[in-house]
Amino acid sequence: MKSIQDIRIRFVGAGNMAASLMGGLINKGMTASQMTASDPGQNQRDYIERQFQILTFGDNNAHFGMPDIVIIAVKPQIMKQVLQDVASSIRRTHPLVISVAAGITTDQMAQWLGLDLPIVRAMPNTPALIGQGAIGMFANQLVTKEQLLMTEQVMDAVGTSIWVTEEGNIDAVTALSGSGPAYFFMFMQYLQQAGQKLGLSETNAALLAKKTAIGSALLAERSPESLQQLKDRVTSPNGTTAAALESFTENNIEQVIEQALNAANDRSIALSKEFD
Ligand SMILES: NC(=O)C1=CN([C@@H]2O[C@H](COP(=O)(O)OP(=O)(O)OC[C@H]3O[C@@H](n4cnc5c(N)ncnc54)[C@H](OP(=O)(O)O)[C@@H]3O)[C@@H](O)[C@H]2O)C=CC1
Ligand SMILES: O=C(O)[C@@H]1CCC=N1
């Protein structure tokens, strides 16, 4: 099996997600010379070259080489156009294709590339920028055991990854962890705002909201107790937490969250149909 020092990667699209993967891979011991990237944005290319010393190109087919993996990290809206653009290079070199785009299916990608290829759909999230991503992955039938392990090495460089065996589950991953950081940021934002309304300064309310989120997340990860048990530990009978939790329950927080995840899941499914 190829070690992380031997894998050659071509990034197509060098925005936020690609840059977080590049940073994570370099931290894990890959060298800049193992990677190349293409992106039409001169500023973004300058940033990538400055930050990581990775060679970048404006043309998706320029200096394509013989990559083991091609990571497609562009918006779903332009996936078809981008895959059709790089199709000849991919058909010539037969790499593993990994897409991080929401919604777009492996069948659609194969169709736009004009070839049945090993394809992985990976759904990371923005904490990958600091090596704390949660990533769900699906591999089509053509992905070899070695390619599965290579994919894990790449994704584990930026967080914790899991495989799903049904492609449809990637929509659920997108709804939960792909979009999930935004839910937590929103929750922290509302905690901060409510704290300010209760008289705290903006600085203090922001600090307490963020530190409470970080502390709770770390405790949830490190403690052997369930989320329910951890919640119960905070909640004194007839105390302040019980008052707040009752208010959440009266306002149907469970249904609100379920509906939000359903909306994201539905949107992920709709995205693939939109760009067919
Ligand atoms: N952001 C997130 O939280 C997550 C995003 N994703 C997925 O990752 C993908 C990328 O998202 P993200 O990194 O946030 O987006 P970005 O906009 O940061 O990155 C996309 C990059 O692709 C470039 N690009 C545009 N056209 C082309 C082209 N023809 N060929 C090559 N590159 C091109 C863009 O350049 P320019 O800006 O100049 O157009 C941009 O630099 C999306 O499909 C998204 O669904 C997945 C999980 C989480
Ligand atoms: O909002 C989106 O569509 C992308 C996919 C998951 C997170 N951001």
Side-chain angles (χ1 to χ4, degrees):
M1 196 201 58
K2 284 207 173 193
S3 77
I4 196 98
Q5 276 83 16
D6 301 320
I7 301 172
R8 287 156 304 169
I9 300 181
R10 170 61 165 231
F11 288 89
V12 176
N16 290 313
M17 272 302 134
S20 60
L21 283 166
M22 291 170 190
L25 289 165
I26 284 174
N27 283 341
K28 288 277 160 169
M30 264 184 98
T31 58
S33 62
Q34 291 175 257
M35 298 179 252
T36 60
S38 59
D39 192 291
Q42 183 66 54
N43 288 346
Q44 189 59 17
R45 293 207 306 278
D46 289 346
Y47 168 75
I48 297 293
E49 298 221 345
R50 219 177 30 248
Q51 187 75 11
F52 306 116
Q53 289 78 51
I54 291 172
L55 281 182
T56 66
F57 307 94
D59 176 345
N60 285 329
N61 293 292
H63 296 264
F64 200 80
M66 289 287 289
D68 301 291
I69 301 176
V70 175
I71 299 183
I72 314 281
V74 300
K75 297 286 185 201
Q77 286 78 353
I78 59 164
M79 276 293 276
K80 184 175 185 176
Q81 167 204 329
V82 168
L83 288 183
Q84 287 175 342
D85 182 30
V86 288
S88 59
S89 297
I90 288 179
R91 282 204 294 265
R92 180 171 50 78
T93 55
H94 267 262
L96 167 67
V97 174
I98 301 180
S99 157
V100 297
I104 308 300
T105 66
T106 53
D107 279 351
Q108 282 176 311
M109 286 185 259
Q111 193 192 327
W112 297 338
L113 287 165
L115 185 68
D116 278 335
L117 271 179
I119 301 178
V120 167
R121 254 177 92 180
M123 179 45 56
N125 59 15
T126 54
L129 284 164
I130 54 160
Q132 293 292 330
I135 305 126
M137 309 177 294
F138 168 80
N140 76 1
Q141 294 290 334
L142 299 173
V143 176
T144 64
K145 184 93 197 295
E146 181 172 359
Q147 288 171 327
L148 289 176
L149 294 172
M150 264 199 311
T151 307
E152 285 171 18
Q153 290 197 72
V154 170
M155 293 301 156
D156 288 348
V158 292
T160 303
S161 64
I162 53 135
W163 287 104
V164 296
T165 50
E166 302 273 332
E167 181 158 5
N169 285 346
I170 287 289
D171 298 311
V173 169
T174 307
L176 201 166
S177 53
S179 299
Y183 316 154
F184 284 95
F185 296 137
M186 189 178 77
F187 195 71
M188 282 187 259
Q189 195 183 5
Y190 291 162
L191 285 180
Q192 177 194 327
Q193 285 170 10
Q196 281 178 249
K197 283 188 185 158
L198 289 172
L200 295 173
S201 69
E202 185 179 347
T203 314
N204 283 345
L207 182 79
L208 292 177
K210 286 182 201 170
K211 285 293 182 188
T212 303
I214 293 166
S216 308
L218 287 176
L219 185 60
E221 183 173 69
R222 292 179 192 170
S223 167
E225 293 188 314
S226 69
L227 295 173
Q228 178 69 46
Q229 285 168 322
L230 290 169
K231 187 173 73 173
D232 290 345
R233 280 196 183 282
V234 190
T235 315
S236 313
N238 209 20
T240 61
T241 316
L245 294 182
E246 271 164 35
S247 171
F248 277 137
T249 305
E250 275 166 23
N251 286 294
N252 293 326
I253 183 133
E254 199 174 341
Q255 289 94 318
V256 166
I257 291 172
E258 192 178 320
Q259 278 172 23
L261 260 70
N262 282 337
N265 186 69
D266 291 349
R267 181 66 191 130
S268 181
I269 294 167
L271 270 175
S272 66
K273 299 196 169 71
E274 215 165 285
F275 303 114
D276 220 355

